[in-house]
Amino acid sequence: MLMEMGLDREEIAALATIRSELKEIPAQRRYLIPLLQRVQQALSYLPQAAIQLVAQHLHLSPSEVYGVATFYNQFRFTPPGRHPVRVCMGTACHVKGGDIILEHFERKLEIKEGETTPDREFSIERVACVGCCALAPVALMGDALHGHMMTGKVEGLILRVQIEKEKARREMGDRDER
Amino acid sequence: MVELIVDGHRMTVPPGQQLLAACLAEGIYIPHLCHLEEAPRPAAACRLCFVEIAGVPAPQPACTIRVASALKVRTDTPAVRRLQRMALRLLLSAHHIDCRRCHANRACALQSIARFLKVGLHPKPLMAIARPDEVDRHHPFIDHYPRRCVLCGRCVRTCRNGNDHPQFSFTGRGIDTVVRHYASNLALDKRCSECRRCVAACPVGALQWRREGAGASESVD
């Protein structure tokens, strides 16, 4: 059933661990946010199954838990991509057209900010200042920082990841054949 | 008992009585959207039930006043009306006006309050805020129309009062706030199919029973 909800094997295991930890946490409302933080730490997002688990443990309705979680910026409801794209929207990057870069990523990846591509390869987030305003506008692809962003560079960055993925796939294939 | 004078009308109410409820019981109408008789605390969310109390410098929302001593109240001063009209205009600017196709047409609190305050349904100088257009079908039986919702919270609080843990809740933050249902479970859904009080509590037709409940007179189109 959990598989049907779009969770992979690791996530199901992590959820089982949390389920066993729950016994030690009293069913009091004040543990709601710490619990959600624990879940997000383990799964890096809050899937529906996890929200239901937390709601059940604290005797709340899933709607209540979701309402609290959506209030805070630190919680996310879609899994982060393997290559999270973070586009800076700080003052300097804003002035240098950071929103155009963000829009370009959104268009190329066909997802909106806060979403993840169906293959979980990319996700897009907006961040406030990465601390290198001299390089504005700035975008991060994973941990790699890319300064002086231009719309033309967006496609290149995405393509590079895709090519590397394809290369790895073919090498794997070659090895299997031999 | 405490003596109240509202718009020159003398009445006595038990101490601790909510001013808004006391006026409504006496047949003195004060515009209101979020007021819920059985709620333990007022939400004071709609900012419509303002009154002026002698001796208090600024108009106060009548739902937050517990009558403790004799009060002299006016419900129709220019200051009160100015606040009410502005609050209503702001609500209307986020409310999709399509009354003819709405099942709450003519039973809608916004329509009657707009008539009472003599405010047009299209609040001219204000920019219209468009919430998501789609009908939210997350709830197994109840459709939610975010563009009609005025975020008064009556559904959320009605459900909390009746079922302890609301099946609808405010999600998101600031201007992105919407009322939403999340992740059904069988036990709670069964209660919903018998209760339906949230649908009745909605003053503007943002909630609609999806199944057989949608009869010819209240169908959407």
Side-chain angles (χ1 to χ4, degrees):
Chain A
M1 187 200 153
L2 288 173
M3 284 281 213
E4 284 163 24
M5 294 175 81
L7 297 181
D8 62 30
R9 207 161 291 150
E10 279 168 43
E11 288 168 346
I12 292 170
L15 213 55
T17 315
I18 287 167
R19 194 189 297 271
S20 61
E21 287 172 5
L22 279 180
K23 281 179 220 118
E24 282 153 39
I25 296 165
Q28 289 168 9
R29 200 181 169 126
R30 64 195 170 102
Y31 291 103
L32 173 54
I33 291 172
L35 252 175
L36 291 174
Q37 285 173 322
R38 173 76 190 87
V39 172
Q40 175 141 315
Q41 193 187 28
L43 292 141
S44 60
Y45 73 110
L46 301 177
Q48 184 167 324
I51 288 183
Q52 280 170 317
L53 183 69
V54 170
Q56 200 181 16
H57 180 68
L58 299 179
H59 309 300
L60 298 170
S61 70
S63 299
E64 274 181 301
V65 175
Y66 184 70
V68 169
T70 51
F71 184 83
Y72 296 100
N73 249 345
Q74 60 169 291
F75 295 120
R76 54 179 305 151
F77 305 91
T78 49
R82 277 177 279 275
H83 305 276
V85 175
R86 298 192 191 90
V87 185
C88 182
M89 288 289 143
T91 313
C93 291
H94 172 77
V95 169
K96 287 281 203 170
D99 52 333
I100 299 170
I101 304 299
L102 176 69
E103 202 190 299
H104 222 71
F105 271 112
E106 288 179 335
R107 203 177 318 145
K108 287 288 170 214
L109 295 172
E110 294 175 354
I111 51 172
K112 288 266 164 245
E113 172 237 328
E115 294 177 348
T116 306
T117 49
D119 60 1
R120 290 208 191 179
E121 209 58 48
F122 297 98
S123 58
I124 305 178
E125 276 165 71
R126 51 163 72 207
V127 291
C129 201
V130 198
C132 48
C133 305
L135 301 179
V138 169
L140 288 147
M141 177 77 103
D143 292 328
L145 185 130
H146 301 275
H148 300 304
M149 280 299 290
M150 289 175 292
T151 47
K153 281 168 113 177
V154 167
E155 207 165 353
L157 286 176
I158 296 167
L159 207 64
R160 199 182 304 164
V161 170
Q162 282 165 343
I163 288 171
E164 266 167 34
K165 191 188 168 192
E166 181 67 19
K167 219 166 92 187
R169 199 180 62 84
R170 286 196 190 166
E171 278 169 13
M172 285 285 280
D174 286 349
R175 217 178 302 148
D176 289 346
E177 272 165 37
R178 262 179 240 148
Chain B
M1 297 299 261
V2 185
E3 194 182 54
L4 270 180
I5 303 173
V6 183
D7 295 342
H9 181 91
R10 207 174 284 267
M11 53 171 144
T12 50
V13 298
Q17 165 88 311
Q18 189 186 47
L19 181 56
L20 177 61
C23 292
L24 294 175
E26 278 291 306
I28 297 167
Y29 180 69
I30 297 170
H32 59 92
L33 268 177
C34 67
H35 171 60
L36 206 60
E37 197 94 354
E38 71 270 20
R41 270 175 303 160
C46 68
R47 316 312 288 172
L48 284 172
C49 67
F50 280 105
V51 294
E52 218 164 276
I53 301 169
V56 181
Q60 302 288 320
C63 63
T64 61
I65 306 288
R66 298 270 165 195
V67 184
S69 55
L71 290 180
K72 224 175 140 189
V73 178
R74 291 207 61 85
T75 67
D76 58 355
T77 63
V80 164
R81 289 290 182 251
R82 207 167 55 91
L83 283 171
Q84 289 174 327
R85 290 198 177 112
M86 195 60 214
L88 182 67
R89 283 200 188 101
L90 286 167
L91 286 173
L92 287 169
S93 73
H95 179 82
H96 180 59
I97 307 282
D98 191 7
C99 297
R100 273 192 307 149
R101 297 206 298 161
C102 175
H103 69 277
N105 193 12
R106 269 174 266 199
C108 176
L110 282 178
Q111 288 176 327
S112 55
I113 294 170
R115 208 174 306 127
F116 180 83
L117 292 175
K118 301 190 180 73
V119 170
L121 286 176
H122 296 277
K124 270 287 153 55
L126 296 177
M127 200 174 75
I129 295 168
R131 294 221 180 84
D133 194 10
E134 314 90 61
V135 184
D136 171 1
R137 298 189 198 278
H138 284 106
H139 192 283
F141 317 120
I142 298 166
D143 285 342
H144 174 58
Y145 296 81
R147 290 178 89 182
R148 296 179 189 164
C149 179
V150 290
L151 299 175
C152 65
R154 278 173 60 98
C155 50
V156 177
R157 290 187 300 140
T158 301
C159 192
R160 188 182 294 140
N161 293 340
N163 300 326
D164 244 10
H165 292 296
Q167 288 287 69
F168 282 99
S169 94
F170 289 113
T171 63
R173 184 165 23 128
I175 201 144
D176 300 320
T177 307
V178 282
V179 167
R180 219 200 103 163
H181 170 80
Y182 187 79
S184 295
N185 80 48
L186 276 176
L188 291 170
D189 292 347
K190 210 171 144 231
R191 267 200 249 169
C192 282
S193 70
E194 290 155 7
C195 170
R196 307 191 192 185
R197 269 179 288 184
C198 56
V199 179
C202 182
V204 296
L207 293 177
Q208 188 176 26
W209 188 252
R210 189 180 311 137
R211 281 187 186 166
E212 76 285 347
S217 61
E218 43 175 356
S219 70
V220 189
D221 35 28

